[in-house]
Amino acid sequence: MRVLPTVTGRDEFDALVVRTDYHDDAAWQDVATALMQSWGDGLYEARIHFVNDPAWADATADDVLNVVRADENLAVVFLADRMSMQAGTRPLLAVTTLTREDCEDDEDYDELTEFGREFRTAPAGVHDIHANLSISNMGFEEYAAWAHDDPEGIYRSF
C-alpha cells in the first residue's frame, strides 16, 4: 500500500482538492484560479484546502481515500488529476468518502452509489457539492446522477 502524507490544517468548511498530476504547472494554475472564484452568484467566497505536494503524484482515488477517510467532516474529496489538467473545462474528479460500513445494508449502499463513487465536476461545481454534502442538504448520488445525465459526464453546477 502506498504511504502518503497526512492532510492537516483543513477547516471543515473548506473543500479538499488534491493535486495528483504534476506534468503541467500552467494547467494547475488554471485549475486553482477557477476554484478560487466566488460562487453562488458571487455571494460566497471560495473556501478550498489545496494539497499541492509532489508526494501525491499519480495517487489513485483509493490512495487518497485511505488518507482522508479519518476526517469525519469530509463527505467528498476532489482530485486534480491528468484529465483535470488536459481537458479544457478542467473537470475535477469528485470522490465520495462513503463506504459500505457507513450504510445500513448493501441495498442502502447500492442506492447511494447507483452512479458510482466518483464523477467529474467543473471547478464551479466543487463549492456547491462540498457545501450541500457538508450540511446533508443533498446527497452525492444526486450530483452523480446530474453528471451521468450530462453529455460529457460532467456536473456543471447550479
Side-chain angles (χ1 to χ4, degrees):
M1 177 185 289
R2 183 171 177 179
V3 177
L4 292 166
T6 302
V7 175
T8 59
R10 185 187 79 83
D11 184 281
E12 69 180 289
F13 299 108
D14 295 347
L16 178 60
V17 175
V18 179
R19 180 182 180 188
T20 64
D21 182 88
Y22 287 82
H23 292 93
D24 187 340
D25 287 334
W28 167 245
Q29 287 306 313
D30 289 346
V31 171
T33 298
L35 286 165
M36 292 309 298
Q37 300 302 307
S38 58
W39 63 284
D41 292 331
L43 297 174
Y44 303 105
E45 176 184 334
R47 301 224 16 193
I48 303 286
H49 181 93
F50 290 106
V51 174
N52 182 16
D53 178 343
W56 292 81
D58 300 319
T60 66
D62 286 329
D63 293 335
V64 174
L65 287 174
N66 285 332
V67 173
V68 303
R69 272 205 178 109
D71 185 341
E72 294 177 4
N73 295 314
L74 188 65
V76 62
V77 62
F78 301 94
L79 277 59
D81 60 2
R82 175 72 50 100
M83 185 173 180
S84 304
M85 304 302 173
Q86 292 181 340
T89 57
R90 305 291 185 217
L92 288 95
L93 187 64
V95 184
T96 182
T97 62
L98 181 77
T99 66
R100 165 59 188 92
E101 292 74 31
D102 297 325
C103 300
E104 291 182 30
D105 53 33
D106 289 339
E107 185 177 321
D108 185 37
Y109 181 74
D110 291 343
E111 258 183 53
L112 295 173
T113 58
E114 176 182 358
F115 296 102
R117 65 179 194 149
E118 58 190 44
F119 61 88
R120 293 278 166 190
T121 181
V126 166
H127 307 292
D128 54 78
I129 294 168
H130 173 72
N132 281 297
L133 294 182
S134 294
I135 62 172
S136 300
N137 187 45
M138 297 179 74
F140 184 86
E141 71 281 4
E142 294 172 274
Y143 289 102
W146 285 322
H148 179 266
D149 291 344
D150 181 82
E152 295 179 57
I154 299 172
Y155 171 70
R156 304 206 183 260
S157 187
F158 294 127

